[in-house]
Amino acid sequence: NERAFLELQGMDELTEMGSFGPGFEKANSWGYDDAALFARVLSGGAPGKGGPFVSVIQTITMHTPYTFRGQGAYAARFEERLAQLGVEPAQRPGYRAHRGIYTSILYADEQIAGFIEKAAARPEYADTIFIVTGDHRLPELPMGTRLCRYHVPLLIYSPLLKKTARFKAVSSQFDLAPSLLAFYSHNYGFKTPGRVAWLGDGLDTEPSFRNVHLIPLKQTKTNDEFFMSMKRK
């Protein structure tokens, strides 16, 4: 029911497999790989008719079955990466057992970088904030604990940023919307809504590890076997 949910939010344009258009080749049953997806996004021109806009791009390459066009060429790069990281020869068979996943990671990283580089030539780039995150980690790879399933990257890039920083404090997708609206409110006089639907209260930018949020964690989307809650400490 993702389409019904998105339409309920009043999205101006929704592009899916049925409306992707000609000239693009699907990578697998899920749809188009990252190269085709980003090319389709860039070919559509700037949304918002010159005004502020929000675009959401949902990629599939780093998802089962972890296949994409030209994947064979990444096998050698995968081996090079093992050497660069100093992985001991005795440990490499364990990584090779998941070669498809690791080559997908290399590919996705490259495609995201290429997308931002191409976007830099567009007029809206100077005011754009790029947010890269995921809905869950790669479950096929070994996990230390079940809690690891919720450990996903959150990367924020923008030409508006004055410096780089890394935060080890715990935050979640709940905290993205309130942080973005606070940024717009403080810097551009954006009037924030009096009532909101989100549960977060903003990203924690503490450099050291800590958790100040109340974050409910559901183990799976298909059952309510148990429910975890990360509480403040």
Side-chain angles (χ1 to χ4, degrees):
N1 295 320
E2 188 172 355
R3 165 183 264 282
F5 172 78
L6 294 173
E7 290 177 340
L8 187 63
Q9 307 313 304
M11 300 189 74
D12 296 310
E13 181 181 355
L14 177 61
T15 301
E16 55 183 350
M17 280 199 289
S19 58
F20 212 79
F24 299 95
E25 179 184 350
K26 289 197 294 185
N28 52 52
S29 60
W30 279 84
Y32 300 87
D33 58 29
D34 295 358
L37 183 61
F38 289 139
R40 174 64 178 82
V41 172
L42 293 170
S43 69
K49 298 179 180 179
F53 64 90
V54 175
S55 289
V56 179
I57 306 172
Q58 184 173 337
T59 65
I60 64 160
T61 300
M62 283 179 58
H63 192 288
T64 309
Y66 303 105
T67 57
F68 55 93
R69 296 169 301 156
Q71 190 166 11
Y74 284 78
R77 295 176 58 179
F78 164 70
E79 293 294 335
E80 292 173 0
R81 188 61 177 155
L82 291 180
Q84 291 172 356
L85 294 173
V87 177
E88 296 293 333
Q91 296 178 319
R92 294 185 184 185
Y95 288 91
R96 290 173 181 140
H98 302 288
R99 181 183 284 107
I101 297 177
Y102 289 117
T103 54
S104 294
I105 295 173
L106 290 172
Y107 169 83
D109 184 66
E110 183 179 81
Q111 296 305 317
I112 291 171
F115 170 70
I116 294 177
E117 288 174 0
K118 291 182 176 66
R122 300 164 71 106
E124 68 270 18
Y125 171 78
D127 298 318
T128 299
I129 299 174
F130 298 89
I131 298 175
V132 182
T133 189
D135 59 339
H136 58 75
R137 67 148 5 233
L138 304 174
E140 293 84 358
L141 298 177
M143 291 186 287
T145 67
R146 287 193 173 188
L147 196 61
C148 293
R149 185 177 179 86
Y150 304 95
H151 188 192
V152 298
L154 172 62
L155 307 175
I156 301 177
Y157 171 75
S158 174
L160 296 170
L161 291 172
K162 302 299 187 295
K163 62 179 180 179
T164 59
R166 182 174 182 176
F167 311 120
K168 295 184 179 180
V170 176
S171 292
S172 80
Q173 283 91 342
F174 288 147
D175 303 304
L176 284 171
S179 276
L180 285 173
L181 287 188
F183 171 78
Y184 292 133
S185 176
H186 294 160
N187 293 278
Y188 301 101
F190 182 83
K191 186 177 180 180
T192 56
R195 299 178 63 186
V196 298
W198 56 73
L199 303 177
D201 49 15
L203 297 169
D204 185 2
T205 57
E206 169 64 35
S208 59
F209 178 81
R210 71 175 184 181
N211 176 44
V212 298
H213 298 298
L214 288 170
I215 306 174
L217 301 174
K218 187 176 179 181
Q219 183 62 24
T220 72
K221 63 183 178 182
T222 55
N223 64 65
D224 291 316
E225 181 181 352
F226 60 88
F227 188 88
M228 296 184 293
S229 177
M230 290 185 64
K231 298 182 179 180
R232 292 181 175 91
K233 291 185 178 179

